[in-house]
């Protein structure tokens, strides 16, 4: 049976996080990885391959914690894999590609469900080593508040590696991971096992052997000759028993000798392996040192170039400051500007005016209710508007102090006042149209659709209906010059008679057409007939009194 494997490693400093970032994205030599298989690796979250420390810091900043301990663990690396026999392999012994598999998706889902999707800042699949595995980086954020006297205190979300990865939490994490991987034929290891994981860094040269230990390992085994027991009198009587007894002693003696030889060979193999890996580690460190020296030289060259550029810009700035001071003095003395400076100033003023003009043009395209919005939008974009003693409005750009008349702003080449009034009227019409449409959609409204002969007739009908108290909410011309007028009205005894009169007139005309539902038609005409009968009754009463 294959086992689900989960291990964690705290990233307690920027250096550790940077080292983990470089290792997981193969930014440094990795002796136990096959470079020809790098393309099979896959990053599932941190696609830009940013530094883990920076990603963790960004996530922690979102919590807005009142304080952050200096030694707080900001990130934890989680290794997810299984024992080697869990992964099918091809004829060359290479594990089958695990990208885009349910195993990979289930691992990502497990991490995000367990720690929160926003707290899993990286998830990398490695397939360039012997056994496929996943390196995930988690920010240890818990949603359990601290307790004081049985009451929760402090923020609901807080950074706490001690709580998220406590011994009890780790045991439960192992159990939960095994349950999540059970569908892939994996089971949990033995709980409370005393087995200790040997960190892969040992194979990068961390194993050390002292000279004394090495000398002891290399020393020859002491030869212990086997001596036969002298035959006693009874052995002469039964020599076969004697031979069997001595042969058993000889076999035991030889077994001890062979065991000692094997143990010596094992020690030698361990030392040889460690030395070989130490050489590999030294080679990697030499390459990294060479790369660091190269980077240092490049940084030094870049620093020199930037220093030179800064000195040049500083010299240019000093020249500009000197010219600026001279210009102030000459202006204060009443000297006129040179033609070149006047031309430059005119260009700057025109550019400033166009910037302000574009700001106002964008405003006029939207909803405008009054002239004060022009002043507001200019202020938001770094301009102020003030009035002179001559009653002229001037615009000043705060950054450059360039000034020009407000009337100089002419979006689309038209006067600002004219465009402002048009925008205000357009906004009023839109708001009025929206109000009419909202009235038409109110429950209980009665509706009618009128087809008029032309726009002139449609205008007269609209005026009559609105005078009677109806809501004309749509007037739409057709390609045939006929016009569709849509009207709605509420059932109101004060207005229903006049509205009925207009609609009845429209219905009787041969040049117009009225469409309304049978229900609305019945409601309208019944109400009108009721009003008419009441009027007749009132007239009859008045006539009787007069007689």
């Amino acid at each position: 049976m294959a086992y689900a494997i989960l291990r964690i490693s705290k990233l307690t400093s920027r250096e550790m996080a940077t080292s983990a970032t470089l290792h997981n994205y193969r930014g440094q030599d990795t002796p136990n990885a096959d470079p020809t298989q790098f393309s099979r690796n896959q990053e599932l979250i941190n696609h830009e391959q940013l530094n883990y420390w920076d990603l963790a810091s960004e996530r922690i900043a979102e919590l807005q914690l009142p304080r952050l301990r200096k030694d707080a663990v900001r990130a934890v690396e989680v290794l997810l894999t299984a024992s080697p026999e869990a992964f099918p392999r091809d004829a060359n012994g290479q594990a089958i590609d695990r990208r885009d598999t349910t195993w990979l998706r289930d691992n990502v889902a497990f991490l995000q469900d367990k720690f929160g999707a926003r707290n899993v800042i990286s998830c990398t699949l490695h397939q360039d080593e012997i056994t496929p595995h996943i390196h995930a980086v988690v920010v240890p954020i818990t949603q359990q508040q601290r307790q004081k006297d049985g009451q929760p205190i402090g923020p609901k979300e807080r950074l706490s590696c001690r709580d998220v990865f406590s011994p009890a939490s780790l045991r439960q994490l192992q159990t939960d991971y095994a349950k999540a991987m059970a569908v892939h034929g994996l089971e949990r290891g033995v709980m409370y096992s005393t087995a200790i994981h040997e960190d892969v860094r040992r194979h990068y040269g961390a194993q050390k052997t002292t000279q004394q230990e090495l000398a002891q390992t290399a020393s020859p085994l002491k030869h212990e000759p086997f001596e036969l027991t002298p035959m006693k009198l009874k052995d002469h009587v039964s020599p076969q028993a004697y031979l069997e007894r001595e042969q058993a002693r000889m076999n035991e003696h030889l077994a001890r000798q062979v065991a000692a030889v094997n143990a010596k060979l094992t020690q030698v193999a361990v030392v040889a392996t460690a030395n070989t890996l130490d050489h590999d580690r030294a080679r990697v460190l030499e390459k990294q040192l060479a790369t660091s020296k190269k980077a240092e030289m490049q940084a030094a060259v870049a620093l020199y170039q930037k220093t030179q550029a800064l000195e040049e810009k500083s010299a240019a700035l000093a020249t500009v400051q000197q010219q600026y001071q001279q210009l102030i003095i000459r202006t204060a003395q009443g000297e006129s500007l040179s033609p070149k400076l006047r031309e430059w100033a005119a260009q700057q003023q025109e550019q400033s005016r166009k910037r302000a003009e574009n700001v106002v043009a964008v405003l006029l395209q939207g909803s405008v209710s009054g002239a004060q919005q022009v002043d507001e939008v200019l202020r938001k974009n770094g301009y102020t508007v003030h009035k002179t003693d001559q009653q002229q409005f001037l615009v000043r750009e705060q950054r450059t102090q360039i000034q020009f008349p407000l009337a100089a702003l002419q979006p689309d080449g038209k006067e600002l006042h004219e465009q402002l009034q048009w925008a205000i009227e357009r906004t009023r019409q839109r708001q009025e149209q929206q109000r009419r449409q909202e009235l038409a959609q109110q429950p209980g409204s009665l509706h009618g659709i009128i087809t008029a002969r032309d726009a002139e007739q449609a205008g007269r009908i609209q005026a009559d209906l609105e005078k009677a108290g109806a809501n004309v909410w749509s007037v739409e011309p057709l390609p045939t010059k006929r016009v569709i007028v849509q009207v709605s009205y509420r059932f109101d005894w004060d207005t229903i008679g006049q509205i009925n009169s207009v609609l009845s007139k429209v219905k009787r005309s041969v040049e117009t057409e009225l469409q309304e539902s049978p229900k609305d038609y019945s409601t309208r005409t019944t109400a009108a007939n009721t009003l008419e009968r009441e009027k007749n009754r009132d007239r009859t009463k008045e006539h009787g009194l007069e007689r």
Side-chain angles (χ1 to χ4, degrees), residues 177 232 469:
Y177 181 60
K232 298 179 181 179

Side-chain angles (χ1 to χ4, degrees), residues 285-295:
L285 292 176
E286 287 176 358
K287 287 186 177 180
Q288 291 178 352
L289 179 61
T291 302
S292 299
K293 288 183 177 180
K294 182 179 179 181

